Amino acid sequence: MGSCCTPDHSCSTGAESAGGTAVAVAETVTVTDTTTAYAVSGMTCGHCRIAITGAVGALPGVVSVDVDVAGGLVTVTTGGAPDDAAIAAAVDDAGYELTGRA
C-alpha cells in the first residue's frame, strides 16, 4: 500500500475532514526487530565496512547493518528472524567469511 502523501506533505487523495484538515489513513503493522551479531574474518579497513554494509544491507528484511572492523563483528538488525544463510552468502559474496554468530 503506497503513501498518499505528496512531496509538500499534503494528501494526494484530496480527502479532508470537516475542519479542512487532510485525513491520514495509516495501516498499523507491528514488527519485532531482531539484532544479531556475527563474527566475520578478513575485514581490515573502511572499504571492508562499505562492502559488507552494502551487501548485507541489500538483503530483504534487513533494517540496519553495523560493521566493527577492529572487533571483527557485523551486527545486523532485521524485521523479524534473520536469514543466517542469506547473510552468510552476502558476506561471502563480498569477499569475507562469516564464521558464526558472536
Side-chain angles (χ1 to χ4, degrees):
M1 176 175 203
S3 173
C4 67
C5 295
T6 63
D8 70 351
H9 303 291
S10 64
C11 183
S12 67
T13 65
E16 294 186 8
S17 68
T21 305
V23 176
V25 178
E27 182 177 332
T28 303
V29 177
T30 303
V31 177
T32 303
D33 288 346
T34 302
T35 301
T36 308
Y38 299 93
V40 175
S41 63
M43 300 185 300
T44 59
C45 65
H47 173 263
C48 301
R49 177 187 330 272
I50 292 168
I52 291 175
T53 299
V56 175
L59 295 173
V62 172
V63 175
S64 68
V65 179
D66 181 55
V67 178
D68 176 4
V69 172
L73 293 175
V74 175
T75 304
V76 182
T77 302
T78 54
D83 183 344
D84 291 338
I87 294 169
V91 169
D92 184 61
D93 288 347
Y96 307 92
E97 182 183 3
L98 188 149
T99 58
R101 286 191 179 198

